[in-house]
Amino acid sequence: MRIVFLGPPGAGKGTQAETISKEEKIPHISSGNLLREAVEAGTETGVKARYYIEKGLLVPDQIVVDIIKDRILKNDCKRGFILDGFPRTLSQARVLDEMLKNLGSRLDLVLYFAVSKESVVLRLSGRRICTNCGANYHTTYVPPSIEGICNKCGGRLNHRADDKPETVLERLRVYSEQTEDVVEYYKKSGILKEIQSDVSIEIITKTVLDFIKCILPDRDKYNMRVI
Ligand code: AP5
């Protein structure tokens, strides 16, 4: 089962991908997390990516495509995966189609998380991430038991640098300029389903699982050739 989670910054893609990945036992592949890991590690890719991430701009296609290609070819993706934050441009969407075609495969489903700008701003201004294990919190909607401390590992919680208001506005601008075309691309291909996401995390999770069960009832039979 190969799924793409599409939607503006703060739509809740990462939150849902975490849960669905556990439920369906397929990896959650977040292009944002992979890029941030490269930044943290100080690799050549990370040094290049940092410049764009901090400004709220998209990292050049070739850098992201190479990272995603490597990840999809890993063994744990044989039964499928959830792509979160990729593709974000038409060119990335076309490369992904080509990549899967070469593996004798294709995307099964694209879930588009539609959310208002007001929700995005509220969600991103309150988002906190564990600096140790990466767990995701929200000061109001998903608060930790002790303020500023991760429930899972006791790590310190941080506000992501690109979640400051001016960068969020830039990310939203970039999204409407470059990623809305990707929504249209998948609408035309007939595999996109839209989920109204100005509701609670639990309601969205139930809707996602219903879509998956309804559209992919035989998902355990799906397999991909991994070179
Ligand atoms: P990336 O990390 O992918 O960020 P994003 O797409 O902007 O998405 P976010 O992680 O901000 O939001 P989300 O939808 O996952 O929301 P979340 O679940 O965390 O990308 C960052 C940067 O990397 C980009 O700007 C770019 O520079 C680069 N990049 C990444 N991919 C790229 C690509 N393919 N090409 C080029 N460049 C790329 O939820 C947000 C908050 O809301 C959390 O606190 C959560 O607890 C809370 N929340 C979630 N759902 C709900 C709900 N239903 N109700 C209330 N609160 C909720």
Side-chain angles (χ1 to χ4, degrees):
M1 176 177 48
R2 287 154 294 274
I3 311 181
V4 164
F5 281 6
L6 197 59
K13 306 179 295 293
T15 302
Q16 296 301 330
E18 274 301 311
T19 308
I20 305 301
S21 152
K22 285 187 195 123
E23 191 75 26
E24 295 291 331
K25 299 180 186 59
I26 49 174
H28 163 205
I29 303 176
S30 154
S31 49
N33 286 347
L34 292 171
L35 288 165
R36 281 184 290 277
E37 279 165 25
V39 170
E40 197 62 33
T43 62
E44 197 184 325
T45 299
V47 171
K48 283 186 201 150
R50 178 180 213 138
Y51 169 85
Y52 298 94
I53 294 173
E54 282 180 353
K55 288 191 157 39
L57 300 172
L58 292 187
V59 173
D61 283 342
Q62 200 50 54
I63 295 180
V64 191
V65 162
D66 286 347
I67 288 184
I68 293 291
K69 259 188 189 164
D70 284 352
R71 183 63 189 88
I72 283 180
L73 289 174
K74 297 225 162 103
N75 247 328
D76 64 340
C77 291
K78 226 174 181 170
R79 277 192 67 247
F81 48 75
I82 300 170
L83 277 177
D84 157 20
F86 182 94
R88 254 174 155 100
T89 63
L90 272 180
S91 147
Q92 291 179 15
R94 291 187 181 118
V95 170
L96 177 64
D97 280 351
E98 195 58 31
M99 205 189 306
L100 292 175
K101 198 170 150 200
N102 290 338
L103 292 165
S105 175
R106 61 176 163 74
L107 279 179
D108 300 302
L109 178 63
V110 175
L111 290 178
Y112 167 54
F113 295 85
V115 70
S116 65
K117 193 172 167 183
E118 291 72 29
S119 292
V120 165
V121 172
L122 278 176
R123 288 179 191 180
L124 295 184
S125 60
R127 173 162 60 185
R128 298 293 180 272
I129 309 280
C130 176
T131 49
N132 183 45
C133 72
N136 197 333
Y137 295 87
H138 190 280
T139 48
T140 308
Y141 306 123
V142 192
S145 307
I146 304 170
E147 197 186 325
I149 304 292
C150 178
N151 291 349
K152 294 177 185 160
C153 73
R156 193 171 43 82
L157 303 185
N158 233 359
H159 196 199
R160 236 168 75 177
D162 61 345
D163 279 349
K164 41 180 201 266
E166 61 275 25
T167 317
V168 168
L169 292 179
E170 180 63 0
R171 283 161 63 198
L172 282 169
R173 188 194 64 76
V174 168
Y175 172 82
S176 70
E177 200 178 279
Q178 303 199 51
T179 311
E180 277 174 1
D181 287 349
V182 180
V183 177
E184 290 309 310
Y185 176 83
Y186 287 128
K187 259 187 198 162
K188 278 187 199 139
S189 76
I191 55 169
L192 182 136
K193 299 287 167 196
E194 181 170 330
I195 296 182
Q196 178 37 249
S197 302
D198 284 306
V199 292
S200 74
I201 293 174
E202 294 73 22
I203 292 177
I204 300 172
T205 303
K206 187 177 175 314
T207 313
V208 172
L209 287 171
D210 285 349
F211 265 127
I212 291 175
K213 280 181 194 127
C214 167
I215 290 165
L216 305 167
D218 294 331
R219 56 197 180 283
D220 285 339
K221 292 185 197 151
Y222 285 71
N223 251 326
M224 184 168 76
R225 184 162 57 89
V226 173
I227 298 161

